[in-house]
């Protein structure tokens, strides 16, 4: 009998059960190419395949998971820059031409369609993060099918709605880096779970970049007060970050680590 990656037996994205869909392919909760090793459950093969393939409902046709891999792949490479700066190896990218020696990055010509690249890439990157959240949350708690996450599943899987992505940033060229860059994960500590239950926000640091996702309807109601309090707490604690911005354009994320290496 073929193994199926199920626990509840219903897909956390499309809602189909084992009579309507198959669950035979390994669903990595975080892209394998970024070092993700955790295998999730309750992601049907159709949804698992969807997130890694070009989305033809948008132009240009970009994949949510590939957009996530492109950004964090560059960030991880730059975080390990001292190991690579003398290498002549090319930093591979599907969507970009990257010239490290000249500190330049540009969109490949075939993706420059009517100037829509940044808009579509930003949307797909955000959807990819929300997809990863729901998979990792369900893997940690087995509660990803709860109704309060409907907006997350509809946005990630079907691009219905527009959930915000918030990013903590600073100006001094210092970032926080996880202990193990080769096996990244979205943690769910008691504090993080309490933040989800109380305020509807999930915060996490991935490859040195700190993000906030609005994962339940409570977030919209609590947004202004919650984010203001986060800035007060973080700034008042002597941390290196001093503001939270909404990511509406992917260029707002310093994925080339210019503040760290190219000041």
């Amino acid at each position: 009998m073929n193994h199926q990656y199920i626990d509840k037996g219903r897909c956390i994205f499309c809602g189909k059960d084992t009579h309507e869909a198959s669950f035979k392919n390994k669903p990595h909760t975080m892209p394998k190419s970024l070092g993700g090793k955790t295998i999730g459950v309750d992601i049907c093969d159709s949804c698992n395949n969807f997130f890694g393939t070009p989305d033809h409902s948008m132009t240009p046709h970009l994949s949510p998971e590939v957009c996530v891999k492109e950004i964090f792949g560059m960030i991880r490479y730059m975080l390990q820059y001292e190991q690579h700066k003398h290498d002549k190896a090319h930093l591979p990218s599907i969507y970009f031409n990257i010239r490290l020696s000249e500190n330049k990055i540009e969109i490949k010509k075939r993706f420059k369609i009517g100037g829509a690249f940044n808009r579509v890439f930003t949307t797909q990157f955000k959807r990819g993060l929300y997809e990863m959240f729901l998979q990792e949350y369900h893997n940690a708690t087995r509660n990803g099918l709860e109704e309060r996450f409907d907006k997350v599943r509809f946005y990630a899987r079907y691009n219905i709605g527009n959930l915000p992505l918030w990013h903590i940033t600073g100006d001094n060229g210092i970032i926080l880096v996880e202990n193990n860059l080769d096996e990244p994960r979205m943690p769910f500590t008691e504090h993080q779970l309490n933040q989800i239950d109380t305020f509807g926000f999930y915060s996490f640091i991935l490859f040195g970049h700190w993000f906030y996702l609005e994962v339940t309807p409570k977030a919209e109601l609590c947004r202004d007060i919650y984010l203001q309090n986060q800035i007060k707490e973080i700034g008042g604690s002597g941390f290196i970050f001093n503001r939270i911005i909404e990511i509406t354009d992917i260029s707002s994320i310093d994925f080339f680590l210019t503040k760290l290496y190219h000041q």
Side-chain angles (χ1 to χ4, degrees):
M1 180 177 178
N2 292 329
H3 180 74
Q4 295 198 81
Y5 297 91
I6 57 175
D7 181 77
K8 302 297 184 182
R10 184 177 295 276
C11 179
I12 60 173
F13 290 107
C14 68
K16 292 181 180 179
D17 62 24
T18 54
H19 299 290
E20 303 169 288
S22 60
F23 295 76
K24 296 178 180 179
N25 297 328
K26 285 185 179 180
H28 285 83
T29 59
M30 188 169 292
K32 188 176 179 181
S33 63
L34 293 177
K37 294 181 172 60
T38 303
I39 305 300
V41 292
D42 297 325
I43 299 102
C44 76
D45 295 338
S46 177
C47 289
N48 191 25
N49 180 67
F50 167 81
F51 290 113
T53 57
D55 185 349
H56 287 273
S57 70
M58 311 178 81
T59 303
H61 310 315
L62 308 182
S63 151
E65 282 188 1
V66 174
C67 288
V68 169
K69 289 188 286 188
E70 290 276 271
I71 293 300
F72 288 119
M74 280 189 277
I75 292 173
R76 181 169 67 172
Y77 187 97
M78 295 307 297
L79 287 172
Q80 298 170 334
Y81 181 72
E82 292 301 319
Q83 302 173 30
H84 300 298
K85 66 179 180 180
H86 299 301
D87 298 345
K88 294 184 179 179
H90 175 66
L91 176 57
S93 172
I94 294 175
Y95 300 142
F96 302 101
N97 290 315
I98 302 167
R99 297 194 291 275
L100 290 173
S101 60
E102 301 175 39
N103 186 27
K104 289 184 179 180
I105 180 171
E106 61 184 13
I107 305 164
K108 290 183 177 180
K109 289 183 179 179
R110 67 179 180 274
F111 295 108
K112 290 183 178 179
I113 302 175
F117 181 86
N118 272 31
R119 174 179 54 80
V120 173
F121 192 103
T122 303
T123 295
Q124 298 299 71
F125 177 77
K126 289 165 54 181
R127 290 173 71 190
L129 288 186
Y130 276 99
E131 172 221 343
M132 284 165 44
F133 159 78
L134 194 59
Q135 291 197 55
E136 295 243 346
Y137 177 84
H138 186 67
N139 196 60
T141 68
R142 296 299 195 262
N143 293 326
L145 284 163
E146 291 180 343
E147 187 176 321
R148 62 179 177 160
F149 299 116
D150 280 352
K151 284 188 176 181
V152 171
R153 77 182 95 256
F154 294 155
Y155 180 59
R157 180 62 175 88
Y158 302 107
N159 198 24
I160 296 174
N162 181 25
L163 292 178
L165 171 64
W166 302 93
H167 177 42
I168 295 181
T169 186
D171 302 309
N172 53 13
I174 300 174
I175 60 175
L176 297 176
V177 181
E178 308 94 301
N179 292 328
N180 188 358
L181 292 176
D182 294 322
E183 194 171 340
R185 55 188 296 268
M186 286 181 165
F188 289 92
T189 64
E190 183 177 347
H191 174 72
Q192 286 169 306
L193 293 173
N194 182 63
Q195 294 284 292
I196 292 171
D197 293 340
T198 306
F199 303 106
F201 277 86
Y202 172 67
S203 68
F204 64 102
I205 297 174
L206 192 59
F207 295 109
H209 287 62
W210 195 340
F211 296 100
Y212 286 84
L213 303 179
E214 298 192 8
V215 297
T216 81
K218 283 187 177 181
E220 187 174 359
L221 301 175
C222 301
R223 180 186 299 145
D224 292 341
I225 293 175
Y226 176 78
L227 293 177
Q228 288 171 11
N229 286 339
Q230 288 295 297
I231 282 295
K232 289 179 183 178
E233 291 177 15
I234 294 167
S237 65
F239 258 159
I240 53 182
F241 305 105
N242 53 30
R243 63 185 183 278
I244 298 178
I245 62 172
E246 182 180 359
I247 299 300
T248 56
D249 190 294
I250 197 65
S251 62
S252 299
I253 300 173
D254 186 16
F255 52 84
F256 216 43
L257 301 190
T258 54
K259 294 176 183 176
L260 191 61
Y261 288 121
H262 310 294
Q263 298 186 71

